[in-house]
Amino acid sequence: MSLAIEHGIIGLTRGATGSNGRIVAGYLPIEDHGVIGDLHTVALVGTDGSIDFMSYPHFGSATMFCCLLDVQHGGRFRIRPRQASGTVKQMYLPDTNVLITRTLDEDGVAEVSDFMPVGADETQYSHALVRRAKGVRGETSFDVIFDPRFDYGRAGHKVDVRQGEILFHSEGPNGRTVRLRSQVPLEVKNGAVVGTFTLRAGETAAFVMEEAVAGRPSPSESPHYVAEVFKDTVNYWRNWIGHSQYQGRWRETVNRSALVLKLLVSNRFGSLVAAPTCSLPEEIGGERNWDYRYTWIRDASFTLYALIRLGYTAEAGAFMQWIEDRCNDLGPDGSLQVMYGIDGHKDLTEEILPHFEGYAGSRPVRIGNNAYDQLQLDIYGELMDSVYLFNKYGSPISHDLWHNLVRLVDWVTEHWQLPDEGVWEVRGGRQEFLYSRLMCWVAVDRGIRLADRRSFPYPFERWRATRDEIYADIYANFWDPELRAFVQHKGSKMLDASTLMMPLVKFISSMDPRWLSTLQAIKERLVEDSLVFRYRIGRGAPDGLMGEEGTFNMCSFWYAEVLARSGDPQKARLVFEKMLGYANHVGLYGEELGPHGEHLGNFPQAFTHLGLISAAYAIDRKLSDSGWVA
């Protein structure tokens, strides 16, 4: 079986565990979810058969199901056996994003298949969600509840029961209508529909939710709809992953990360959301709860690198077009925003939802993200690196894009010395961060390399002088001779895991003595076994927030990759494979891992899976170069 990792759970009533070990009733652990999607949005499906989070119909839309953020008022769509006391196994059909939740109980075996239809002609799918219950052995009774709460639970709705369908009309200026088709009888209760049904071996019952638009035909009206779109969707995913060019070690794991990343890319715009969820906490009960349903410029180079390495040039090209569109919309001074909506919109004003209690009591619940208005100088390096990589491995960039990039790099040459909020988006005051300084160097360096490769005109002397000045500044002001390490920010004695990028962006040799001593210092201060903290809360730059956080999965994969590049591929393999053991039951990762190995933060996290792919590629190559066969 391909990456269909099975996970046994006795019972279905456990809840999230807080930092004090207390079980918070009603909330599944974040990691107890798989994801499905249609390249426009994603739904989180719990091991208890509940769809617990779904922005609809797009990544940036308001939620329709959101009980992960408030078990009473968020809304859900749950199908599960009535006697939920057996073992549950959740898995993906091999090489697809079709999810199966299987229950093994005293009375028999039953399963629910979940997917969102995708295929060649996506116009026929109407942003549909398909759930099919099946009796496998014996006889199983199921409970179903379809309880939408539109606009983050702020908008009421009306239920209209018709022949063969139930319509839910949300109220308010942004109202929409969704249609539910059910093959079993349902009744209306308090704005939801509920029902109970029994399946014997071989029997099925399907439920289809789709967007209902006046004048548009309903694809699900066809009696063969479920079977046809199931086949189309399975074929789509298997055909897509079949084009991956990765042939190295851990292929199934890399493929699963690629399938996850594909789910997080907007088919319409080509942009990648950092995660499909908002306000899942970095500490249970804490305030580090952010909205990640946006596209960060920072993600650009990592995304393009992963897509190109795997052979997905069409996806890389679509994302590159999105980047070019942002460069066509630079500020008057040549600057960029930190992040944008998936369609490129700029206003991401943060808002608190006071009527939601937050995941397991983690408040506040935020939508929007005020970090969009921060100064984060590193984004220019990541963007220029992505353009450089695409020009090298994808397609040559245009004259018009180069014209805008000159404006952008000129802006960097004039502002690289400024303090900023940095890669970790601190809210406790600006600093002169090493990572920001490093990526300003990358921005200018890649501009020079790209211009020389393509013979583009550019201000030769100013750019080269600036690159050299930044280089000298890093060694003069961020190298601590007592620690024998590069520090987080100017005047600091603290270390930061973002420093791991120094050899990865070719600023310093991975075998340079200064780098090796920095790596040793990071190991001593930020690493616990294979797990890496981004920095130590309370010791690094103040981030303006209370509480703690977990280890950063992305940084852990960076650490594994750097170990391989720094001459120890066997240690890198050990760290990498131990990190693989922290994936959830279907191979997914959140942003962080808590003190008990629980997943924290928004889920699944694109950056983590990008880091996994990059580390796998580098470690596999180093092992092969060292003569290791397996």
Side-chain angles (χ1 to χ4, degrees):
M1 181 179 290
S2 184
L3 191 71
I5 304 172
E6 299 190 344
H7 179 52
I9 301 171
I10 304 301
L12 293 171
T13 57
R14 71 188 182 118
T17 304
S19 58
N20 59 1
R22 180 171 61 91
I23 300 296
V24 183
Y27 291 93
L28 276 182
I30 293 171
E31 64 267 24
D32 280 9
H33 292 85
V35 293
I36 57 174
D38 66 350
L39 313 180
H40 297 277
T41 193
V42 158
L44 271 64
V45 185
T47 52
D48 63 351
S50 176
I51 292 180
D52 289 342
F53 191 100
M54 185 183 190
S55 300
Y56 188 81
H58 304 291
F59 292 110
S61 302
T63 59
M64 186 170 135
F65 304 120
C66 195
C67 67
L68 260 184
L69 298 182
D70 194 299
V71 70
Q72 296 296 329
H73 306 104
R76 61 157 35 105
F77 181 9
R78 185 171 65 197
I79 305 172
R80 68 171 181 177
R82 301 202 75 186
Q83 304 298 325
S85 59
T87 299
V88 173
K89 297 184 177 182
Q90 195 175 66
M91 67 210 80
Y92 284 107
L93 282 182
D95 295 331
T96 78
N97 281 314
V98 175
L99 191 68
I100 294 176
T101 305
R102 180 178 296 152
T103 304
L104 296 83
D105 221 326
E106 291 182 0
D107 297 328
V109 177
E111 61 187 30
V112 177
S113 302
D114 289 306
F115 64 96
M116 297 182 72
V118 292
D121 183 12
E122 67 178 47
T123 59
Q124 66 176 300
Y125 296 130
S126 301
H127 300 296
L129 167 68
V130 179
R131 313 197 71 187
R132 182 171 62 179
K134 181 178 182 179
V136 178
R137 287 182 172 177
E139 184 175 279
T140 304
S141 293
F142 289 83
D143 286 329
V144 57
I145 177 170
F146 183 91
D147 184 17
R149 306 291 179 94
F150 295 93
D151 191 25
Y152 307 102
R154 297 180 296 190
H157 65 271
K158 297 178 180 179
V159 184
D160 183 7
V161 181
R162 301 182 182 182
Q163 182 66 34
E165 65 181 15
I166 305 172
L167 299 176
F168 296 78
H169 306 280
S170 67
E171 300 171 347
N174 298 317
R176 65 176 68 254
T177 300
V178 296
R179 175 188 292 111
L180 178 68
R181 295 192 187 277
S182 169
Q183 293 180 342
V184 302
L186 300 174
E187 60 177 320
V188 180
K189 283 189 177 181
N190 300 320
V193 293
V194 299
T196 300
F197 60 97
T198 300
L199 299 177
R200 292 186 290 269
E203 293 180 338
T204 64
F207 304 82
V208 180
M209 184 197 83
E210 66 184 4
E211 187 176 30
V213 179
R216 179 192 294 174
S218 170
S220 64
E221 198 170 16
S222 166
H224 307 295
Y225 173 80
V226 172
E228 289 174 350
V229 295
F230 176 83
K231 180 180 178 180
D232 289 347
T233 301
V234 168
N235 288 341
Y236 174 88
W237 289 118
R238 288 180 173 165
N239 179 67
W240 185 83
I241 200 62
H243 285 85
S244 172
Q245 295 181 4
Y246 185 80
Q247 300 294 326
R249 299 167 177 83
W250 316 292
R251 184 180 176 191
E252 292 180 351
T253 300
V254 170
N255 282 353
R256 176 51 55 196
S257 286
L259 285 163
V260 173
L261 291 174
K262 179 64 174 174
L263 281 180
L264 302 182
V265 173
S266 167
N267 203 43
R268 179 179 177 186
F269 300 108
S271 49
L272 173 101
V273 293
T277 58
C278 62
S279 275
L280 292 182
E282 297 176 14
E283 178 188 26
I284 304 298
E287 65 172 331
R288 300 170 184 272
N289 317 315
W290 314 111
D291 190 347
Y292 277 11
R293 298 170 299 165
Y294 303 112
T295 301
W296 268 252
I297 293 295
R298 179 175 299 113
D299 296 3
S301 62
F302 299 95
T303 301
L304 284 170
Y305 177 86
L307 291 172
I308 289 169
R309 286 301 189 197
L310 297 177
Y312 292 112
T313 54
E315 283 79 3
F319 195 23
M320 190 65 223
Q321 182 59 57
W322 186 89
I323 291 172
E324 184 166 355
D325 290 342
R326 304 291 74 74
C327 291
N328 288 334
D329 192 28
L330 294 174
D333 59 355
S335 62
L336 278 169
Q337 276 192 189
V338 172
M339 68 184 92
Y340 298 83
I342 57 171
D343 60 353
H345 74 268
K346 294 181 177 181
D347 186 0
L348 310 180
T349 301
E350 200 168 283
E351 180 181 356
I352 291 176
L353 303 180
H355 61 290
F356 274 178
E357 72 171 3
Y359 176 81
S362 305
R363 285 178 169 167
V365 173
R366 296 181 176 93
I367 57 174
N369 196 318
N370 281 344
Y372 83 96
D373 205 28
Q374 288 186 347
L375 177 64
Q376 297 176 21
L377 293 170
D378 66 283
I379 65 171
Y380 298 94
E382 283 119 359
L383 183 137
M384 287 303 301
D385 196 39
S386 69
V387 175
Y388 174 77
L389 289 171
F390 186 77
N391 183 84
K392 183 176 181 180
Y393 297 109
S395 300
I397 67 168
S398 67
H399 161 80
D400 290 336
L401 176 56
W402 176 249
H403 175 76
N404 286 322
L405 293 177
V406 170
R407 293 179 58 211
L408 184 147
V409 177
D410 279 345
W411 186 92
V412 173
T413 64
E414 296 170 2
H415 297 88
W416 63 269
Q417 293 176 315
L418 293 176
D420 69 344
E421 279 86 5
V423 61
W424 305 128
E425 303 178 352
V426 299
R427 300 191 180 197
R430 293 180 175 180
Q431 300 282 351
E432 290 186 53
F433 287 106
L434 168 61
Y435 186 73
S436 298
R437 199 63 45 92
L438 170 71
M439 297 311 289
C440 284
W441 178 88
V442 171
V444 182
D445 177 74
R446 299 310 191 262
I448 293 169
R449 292 187 187 210
L450 182 56
D452 290 345
R453 177 179 287 267
R454 293 287 306 280
S455 299
F456 283 138
Y458 70 102
F460 182 93
E461 293 183 359
R462 183 169 76 249
W463 284 15
R464 288 178 176 264
T466 300
R467 182 181 64 176
D468 294 348
E469 189 177 356
I470 299 173
Y471 183 91
D473 179 75
I474 289 175
Y475 278 97
N477 294 307
F478 296 89
W479 169 257
D480 189 303
E482 294 180 4
L483 296 175
R484 293 201 53 77
F486 292 97
V487 294
Q488 182 188 53
H489 62 85
K490 187 179 290 188
S492 170
K493 288 284 188 179
M494 296 301 108
L495 301 183
D496 191 307
S498 64
T499 309
L500 291 165
M501 289 299 297
M502 293 183 75
L504 299 185
V505 297
K506 304 186 186 306
F507 177 86
I508 190 171
S509 165
S510 58
M511 302 301 293
D512 188 293
R514 293 201 190 199
W515 171 249
L516 293 177
S517 62
T518 298
L519 183 59
Q520 180 62 29
I522 289 174
K523 176 184 176 182
E524 293 171 356
R525 298 192 178 200
L526 298 181
V527 179
E528 293 181 354
D529 193 49
S530 61
L531 306 175
V532 181
F533 290 92
R534 58 178 182 167
Y535 54 85
R536 293 291 186 174
I537 296 292
R539 302 179 194 173
D543 59 15
L545 300 166
M546 300 293 290
E548 298 294 327
E549 64 183 21
T551 56
F552 263 60
N553 294 322
M554 169 184 66
C555 297
S556 299
F557 284 119
W558 286 354
Y559 178 62
E561 179 172 354
V562 168
L563 284 173
R565 295 180 182 273
S566 299
D568 198 348
Q570 283 300 320
K571 178 65 177 296
R573 179 177 191 164
L574 176 63
V575 170
F576 178 78
E577 292 182 337
K578 294 190 79 171
M579 273 303 299
L580 297 186
Y582 288 103
N584 85 337
H585 57 286
V586 286
L588 309 183
Y589 290 88
E591 184 177 25
E592 303 178 22
L593 292 173
H596 310 292
E598 70 273 22
H599 288 231
L600 296 171
N602 288 302
F603 179 90
Q605 180 81 2
F607 233 154
T608 302
H609 289 276
L610 290 166
L612 185 156
I613 291 171
S614 181
Y617 187 92
I619 297 169
D620 177 72
R621 184 172 60 181
K622 290 295 184 181
L623 287 170
S624 296
D625 290 347
S626 300
W628 288 89
V629 177

